[in-house]
Amino acid sequence: MTRSNWSVPETEVVQSIRERLDERAAGADGPPDVLATVVGVEGNAYRRPGAKMVLSADGEGIGAITAGCLEEDLVSVADRIRETGRPEVVTYDLMDDEEEDVWGLGVGCNGVIDVLVEPLTETYRPAVEAFGAGRDVAVLTVLDGGDGALADGDRAYYRPDDGTLRTPEGDPATDWPDSLSDPAGALADRGRGDTLVVDDRAGGTVEVFVDGIAAPTELVVFGTGHDVGPVTELAARNDFRVTVVGFRGAVDLDDRFPEADRTVTTSPANVDEALAPDERTHAVVMTHNFVDDRLVVESLLDAGVAYVGLMGPRERFEEMLEEFAAEGRTFDESELEPLYTPVGLDLGGGSPYQIAHSIVAEVLAVANDRRPGHLKAREGPIHERVDVGDGDDEGDGESDGTADDEGNNGTADGADEPDARAR
Amino acid sequence: MTRSNWSVPETEVVQSIRERLDERAAGADGPPDVLATVVGVEGNAYRRPGAKMVLSADGEGIGAITAGCLEEDLVSVADRIRETGRPEVVTYDLMDDEEEDVWGLGVGCNGVIDVLVEPLTETYRPAVEAFGAGRDVAVLTVLDGGDGALADGDRAYYRPDDGTLRTPEGDPATDWPDSLSDPAGALADRGRGDTLVVDDRAGGTVEVFVDGIAAPTELVVFGTGHDVGPVTELAARNDFRVTVVGFRGAVDLDDRFPEADRTVTTSPANVDEALAPDERTHAVVMTHNFVDDRLVVESLLDAGVAYVGLMGPRERFEEMLEEFAAEGRTFDESELEPLYTPVGLDLGGGSPYQIAHSIVAEVLAVANDRRPGHLKAREGPIHERVDVGDGDDEGDGESDGTADDEGNNGTADGADEPDARAR
């Protein structure tokens, strides 16, 4: 029986990879850990390509690649990988015949799922370090090197802020096709995985799984009231990297908000300098102090952040606007677009956790560019596709906005998805 | 310094009241615990009337009545109450003068807040027992008995399923005005609190705080996959009473889902008998097994439940409908209204917690009868008012649908609220 911690935030899976690499680098011995990554999905699937799970020799697992259908079997595959020391792509076909297709039409427990299973090695370190430093990164793994210079299992990295395909050692990956850079950048930015087939440098083709790992979205919470804890906790569960900001020598913030990635004590006038908000910043302002909130909101709007949720009634912000106007500061409509006040989705409920739930739901929706209605009312599929080309061209690094790739809430249905894979 | 657990789910506050009563009934001695209840709010407030906090003599507190503005002071009030043994209504006026009104226009830290502070006694037991048994209940407390038979601090109860105002001992509360029954029922059903002034039996008036404590909403989760844990955890945080249902001799459910209020192992054909779903039931169906899901959905729709969230793509449910039709079972539009598939709000995100967050957000919205858009886009105020009359009539037990009472996400602004209070 696998003891496991399946349903952890994605951030924790990556963190656990890092911890295990660190332990091994510090001299821990014993059988290697094994990493399983979904590299392909056809049919219904609970998780998308890129979903990861770490398996220890003692049977412990962190993360989930389905809703529990394959994980037990993976334990024996992992044992084999530990023996051979070589990566494998294991294909689970849970959609054997028509009968089963009807009767077993589950979610996450049918379809065809390709899983890359490999010994966890230092080749993964650049990815976890980039992630830890808040940078987008793509991990590239050769699934089929053909007759070219690349062997199955070979690995490279791409960080959009670096712009160069690199080996795990940090050198330019000169054996790898340059055409992978753009799609790797797009997938890193969106945190999506895809398998691509591209021309290699020897006139053949190479099949590569590109695992985009987006840096966690930053959420800055201004305030240290008792209502901040639930927001911090729920945001961390949802893979936000949370900063709690206190003013006037607020103390014990690390103890009081253990789920925060960091805490900062500064002054309302110093927000810009202390936190350097930018267009990727998401912030919730809940200091319960009018003057503080006003200064913070001004700094954030000036910085052009992606989202400011301001706790308080609409009239309170109108009062702020009057004061801004009295100082000669006015905001046009587009400047106010990122501002959400009252903060949160309209879910009803007034307990601290219910309020926090509605706030975090709003931040998720804005960060993911969704209109937060019922999925049952949504037209078309649930996940938009990141267009990285059909495997033969280089991709344009942009989402095409069409939606032919579904994933969340068990709604994955790849039937209409153009098959970018050679297999 | 108060050690406290402010931001706990409301359910935990009521549970802690019960535990403390039990401890004392079992012979625990020491200074009594003190209960603080918000009985009135004017201006901005983070919490609504009925918000509760339990204060121990050792300085521990559970629950929050503001976002942290008054709680420290309450500790000294609680000490006084322990000395005198008598309930008091303490008024905090945090809106002293105009200057402060502008500069201190916080949320939850201004306005006028009336707090009933009392020794926690057995008079509270009927309420926590009704809550524990899943029943709505209203706790009535005399704030001003005038010259009549009722004294300040006198207490009565009302359970809509019982229909009789009763004393804490369970006898009909013959000294209490009958006119309180209907509004108490309405407030119990909605879980809202209000202060009423009604004619007493001696020709005078009596001022009573009616604290409606709605039974937690039942959420039944069908499934035992690894994706069930986050749904259970987040639903419990949001004060749902969660039942996890497993099939085919599922074991260790209590260990695997510690946040569940209960777990049930039964068979898909036996759902009706084992769980007795009714029009108050909310359910999420995520067994990942087509046949099981189909049987469960049929039972739930037949029972006319309030909400069924079904995990899986739309096509999967269409397949179910075809099979129902082949068996001669069809559903008209109104029968399918409670069914939400794909389950959840459209928040994006595909991790187990993100999926769970969107599911619980949807259940919250449906349970609270909300359209889950951004609060910033909502017309009118955030909380509808439970119309229980203006204190002189008996109320009609119905919400009037108008919205002149705000509360959540710091949006309380009682300025437009008709003042039902004598003070």
Side-chain angles (χ1 to χ4, degrees), chain B residues 209-397:
Chain B
F209 179 66
V210 183
D211 184 9
I213 305 175
T217 304
E218 298 276 344
L219 180 68
V220 186
V221 183
F222 293 88
T224 57
H226 303 290
D227 47 350
V228 167
V231 173
T232 304
E233 177 190 327
L234 294 177
R237 293 264 197 289
N238 280 288
D239 289 315
F240 289 96
R241 177 190 294 262
V242 184
T243 300
V244 172
V245 181
F247 296 142
R248 296 186 192 82
V251 292
D252 290 336
L253 296 187
D254 287 338
D255 288 343
R256 290 184 51 209
F257 304 107
E259 289 93 353
D261 191 71
R262 62 174 179 149
T263 65
V264 172
T265 302
T266 182
S267 76
N270 203 37
V271 163
D272 214 45
E273 201 175 315
L275 296 155
D278 63 24
E279 70 286 350
R280 295 183 69 152
T281 305
H282 295 66
V284 176
V285 182
M286 48 195 294
T287 72
H288 298 285
N289 177 300
F290 184 79
V291 182
D292 290 354
D293 277 7
R294 197 177 73 100
L295 287 164
V296 172
V297 166
E298 186 174 19
S299 294
L300 296 173
L301 292 179
D302 283 348
V305 298
Y307 170 88
V308 187
L310 172 63
M311 185 172 275
R314 206 170 281 127
E315 298 71 26
R316 186 167 175 271
F317 180 64
E318 280 158 15
E319 182 100 23
M320 277 186 199
L321 283 179
E322 280 171 31
E323 295 201 10
F324 284 130
E327 294 168 359
R329 175 72 169 101
T330 55
F331 296 87
D332 62 31
E333 211 170 297
S334 69
E335 282 178 288
L336 292 180
E337 219 165 80
L339 185 86
Y340 289 74
T341 190
V343 63
L345 298 188
D346 190 7
L347 306 179
S351 79
Y353 267 102
Q354 289 166 340
I355 293 171
H357 201 93
S358 92
I359 293 172
V360 173
E362 175 165 274
V363 186
L364 264 178
V366 172
N368 289 320
D369 201 16
R370 295 305 175 97
R371 288 186 52 154
H374 293 284
L375 279 173
K376 105 175 186 180
R378 180 180 162 98
E379 298 289 327
I382 297 203
H383 281 287
E384 66 187 274
R385 183 168 171 75
V386 179
D387 182 5
V388 292
D390 64 2
D392 290 318
D393 63 34
E394 300 179 18
D396 56 10

Side-chain angles (χ1 to χ4, degrees), chain A residues 7 107 226 288 343 349 408-409, chain B residues 7 107 226 288 343 349 408-409:
Chain A
S7 291
V107 177
H226 303 289
H288 297 285
V343 63
N408 122 2
N409 301 19
Chain B
S7 289
V107 177
H226 303 290
H288 298 285
V343 63
N408 121 4
N409 302 18

